[in-house]
Amino acid sequence: MIHRDEFGVQVHALLEADRFRDYGPNGLQVEGRPEIRKLVSGVTASLALIEAAARAGADAILVHHGLFWRGQDGRVTGWMKRRLQVLLAHEINLFAYHLPLDAHPQWGNNAQLGQKLKLSIDGRFGEQDLGFLGTPAQPLTVAALTALLQYRLGRAPVVVEGDGRPIRRVAWCTGGAQGYFEAAIAAGADAFLTGEISEPQAHYARETGVAYFACGHHATERFGAAALGAHLAERFGLEHQFIDIDNPA
Ligand SMILES: [Zn+2]
């Protein structure tokens, strides 16, 4: 068991949350009961996750995508009202860590994805050093990396083949990091993996020869919250459950 405030202080320090310029507040977003015994982790603070956490008897939810983002108009109506209503009715604390959870060298989404793909991590790139660089045990073909991603993530990636060179150096950044592709190319990658693709990246891939793999925003960001939740549960003697709410995006 741990007090909510102590939990927040510890997680904030572990993730070095103050280092990041982010799109929303990191840390405690909605205050619940003071004591945490049961922690539920998940990717996004959706209504489905909040309701599942309430059914599971959670005292706190730990997510990558919280409720509050820059650009919202701040009104508590519609879906926002429903999500807050369930959280507040059950006195569940909501902790959200966005970029700090992508970046953490051990528990972060990028580190965890690299581990799942058996890439040895040897560098960082891109804005705020969120992108990771690594190498596979042996050079991969586009087909082999596609098959590995499908096996590890449970879904087929959208692939834009480059010039067919062997993939020795991989750059990746989970989620909606299509904007990191040019930095990945500049960093010398043979392939770039992220969650999503937008129209321009297909052309960059064809014109630079660097293969592009869009593997799913949710699919690439499923591992950080689960790994961090398990670690925190062990450290603070909590019960922990990762609840995956499937998302085709
Ligand atoms: Zn994301």
Side-chain angles (χ1 to χ4, degrees):
M1 193 258 286
I2 186 168
H3 191 277
R4 172 224 306 133
D5 297 343
E6 181 62 16
F7 183 84
V9 166
Q10 296 288 340
V11 182
H12 220 79
L14 178 71
L15 297 182
E16 299 182 72
D18 289 333
R19 276 205 303 126
F20 298 88
R21 296 184 304 283
D22 215 325
Y23 307 95
N26 286 306
L28 183 64
Q29 289 198 343
V30 179
E31 186 178 303
R33 62 180 63 96
E35 284 167 1
I36 300 173
R37 289 181 178 81
K38 166 123 194 189
L39 176 67
V40 160
S41 60
V43 179
T44 299
S46 61
L47 183 61
L49 178 68
I50 294 167
E51 286 178 338
R55 282 195 298 275
D59 304 304
I61 303 176
L62 174 73
V63 291
H64 178 51
H65 301 136
L67 284 181
F68 307 111
W69 300 98
R70 199 161 61 199
Q72 284 170 334
D73 68 12
R75 284 180 287 186
V76 181
T77 55
W79 59 267
M80 180 65 90
K81 178 211 163 187
R82 300 262 300 132
R83 293 184 189 185
L84 284 169
Q85 190 169 39
V86 180
L87 281 171
L88 295 171
H90 291 86
E91 283 215 81
I92 300 172
N93 297 284
L94 176 68
F95 289 90
Y97 290 92
H98 184 233
L99 299 182
L101 186 56
D102 287 320
H104 191 270
Q106 190 170 1
W107 312 115
N109 285 318
N110 281 323
Q112 291 289 320
L113 180 63
Q115 267 183 35
K116 289 269 181 298
L117 300 174
K118 301 211 159 50
L119 298 166
S120 67
I121 297 165
D122 54 30
R124 297 286 192 104
F125 76 98
E127 214 204 317
Q128 301 194 65
D129 268 349
L130 292 175
F132 278 46
L133 294 162
T135 45
Q138 57 214 22
L140 298 168
T141 61
V142 168
L145 184 50
T146 303
L148 176 64
L149 287 163
Q150 173 142 22
Y151 172 64
R152 284 294 172 181
L153 301 179
R155 54 177 279 166
V158 172
V159 182
V160 184
E161 298 194 22
D163 54 15
R165 68 178 84 156
I167 297 168
R168 294 192 167 85
R169 191 134 182 82
V170 181
W172 69 98
C173 193
T174 59
Q178 50 270 68
Y180 277 60
F181 188 33
E182 287 161 274
I185 295 164
D190 300 311
F192 177 62
L193 325 179
T194 184
E196 303 179 10
I197 185 165
S198 298
E199 196 272 354
Q201 284 88 42
H203 300 291
Y204 301 156
R206 290 173 185 153
E207 292 168 26
T208 63
V210 177
Y212 192 105
F213 297 78
C215 311
H217 190 133
H218 175 85
T220 55
E221 297 201 318
R222 234 174 6 203
F223 307 119
L228 178 63
H231 168 69
L232 296 171
E234 168 141 11
R235 186 158 147 194
F236 302 126
L238 311 175
E239 201 188 324
H240 169 247
Q241 182 184 355
F242 172 72
I243 298 181
D244 192 31
I245 305 295
D246 191 38
N247 187 331

